[in-house]
Amino acid sequence: MSKQFILYEYKKQTAQEISDKAAKLRTLMSKRRSVRHFSEKEVHKDVITDLIMAAASAPSGANKQPWTFCAISDPSIKKQIREAAEKEEYINYNGRMSEEWLGDLHPLGTDWQKEFLELAPWLIVIFKKSYDIHDHSQKKNYYVSESVGIAAGFFISCVHQAGLATLTHTPSPMNFLTKILGRPENEKPFLLLPVGYPEEGALVPDIARKKEEEVISWYIGK
Ligand code: IYR
């Protein structure tokens, strides 16, 4: 097997520039919120393409890129997804989730109703591919959940940085997405993300992020 290497395109920056950017990113990312109230205002398909391709630049096990992003704006498919998701969520909220779980969700104000699945102009469903199929044979993928999780993180971050809103929605179980979207058997639904503009005056829960000392354990030599 031939190995090919190319020069890493690295843009040199001063320590000062890097520190300014890191501080700006910290502020920008701290403003990201999971939004549950979307405007119906359209988002151009090209924007979605760019955001997905930015996400698909994520690192992955053995560079297998084990993901498919389904981008849905078709109202009839969104309706089917909403109906199927609400059916599962109704059962979740009325018995399948523990009291502890419901208690943890209470401050977030979530319930089984998911209007956003029809209102947001786009639904992005990320599928993970536990294996690929080449010439009728199965090819292994590695660290699939980690890889797709990283790509999803890239996507959420890019949506926010582009000025749109999203939500990591995990209807459970979500195999209905495989069926509605007609995905092949090597793909499993991973996350469902509505993407769009937040509704004017959208409210989000008043939650705090953990402090530096709760999040970071430093190991610094003398
Ligand atoms: N999937 C459900 C429940 C839910 C679970 C967690 I963990 C959340 O952080 C939020 C919601 C729903 O979407 O309502």
Side-chain angles (χ1 to χ4, degrees):
M1 208 173 29
S2 75
K3 274 184 259 166
Q4 269 212 312
F5 289 87
I6 54 166
L7 195 63
Y8 173 41
E9 276 182 52
Y10 176 69
K11 180 169 167 274
K12 275 197 187 134
Q13 291 150 96
T14 64
Q16 188 58 53
E17 285 170 325
I18 290 168
S19 118
D20 290 348
K21 276 199 226 167
K24 279 203 182 107
L25 279 168
R26 177 177 180 172
T27 306
L28 175 58
M29 292 308 291
S30 76
K31 308 267 183 219
R32 187 209 56 80
R33 297 301 308 267
S34 291
V35 168
R36 293 185 165 78
H37 307 284
F38 287 85
S39 144
E40 290 183 90
K41 183 177 163 143
E42 279 180 22
V43 171
H44 199 280
K45 181 172 174 263
D46 293 350
V47 171
I48 298 301
T49 308
D50 284 340
L51 293 171
I52 291 175
M53 294 316 288
S57 73
S60 61
N63 190 34
K64 296 285 187 177
Q65 306 173 52
W67 44 63
T68 300
F69 291 74
C70 293
I72 303 132
S73 65
D74 181 328
S76 71
I77 302 178
K78 289 199 290 185
K79 186 167 190 280
Q80 284 181 62
I81 291 177
R82 178 185 175 176
E83 282 170 3
E86 286 186 334
K87 202 168 145 194
E88 294 297 352
E89 294 294 12
Y90 185 86
I91 305 170
N92 289 336
Y93 281 88
N94 292 282
R96 204 150 54 186
M97 290 194 289
S98 66
E99 285 304 316
E100 184 183 1
W101 193 347
L102 291 171
D104 283 338
L105 289 181
H106 188 68
L108 306 180
T110 62
D111 62 30
W112 64 270
Q113 291 184 80
K114 307 295 172 192
E115 297 85 16
F116 56 77
L117 293 174
E118 278 189 275
L119 291 181
W122 290 96
L123 300 181
I124 309 302
V125 185
I126 310 180
F127 284 84
K128 63 176 186 182
K129 298 159 98 171
S130 39
Y131 58 92
D132 273 305
I133 303 165
H134 289 302
D135 303 326
H136 306 286
S137 72
Q138 294 189 6
K139 293 282 174 202
K140 230 181 127 34
N141 289 331
Y142 310 93
Y143 297 100
V144 170
S145 295
E146 290 85 346
S147 302
V148 183
I150 295 166
F154 272 37
F155 184 71
I156 293 161
S157 169
C158 290
V159 168
H160 173 64
Q161 293 194 43
L164 294 172
T166 187
L167 167 68
T168 43
H169 177 44
T170 51
S172 172
M174 53 179 166
N175 42 343
F176 64 84
L177 292 166
T178 303
K179 219 166 139 193
I180 293 174
L181 299 172
R183 301 315 303 169
E185 64 123 45
N186 63 322
E187 295 188 5
K188 297 275 170 283
F190 185 75
L191 273 186
L192 169 46
L193 300 119
V195 174
Y197 291 86
E199 185 187 61
E200 192 100 0
L203 297 179
V204 291
D206 185 13
I207 49 155
R209 297 224 157 90
K210 287 185 177 175
K211 296 186 182 49
E212 280 180 21
E213 55 276 23
E214 295 174 282
V215 172
I216 313 175
S217 285
W218 295 103
Y219 299 82
I220 298 178
K222 293 265 154 17

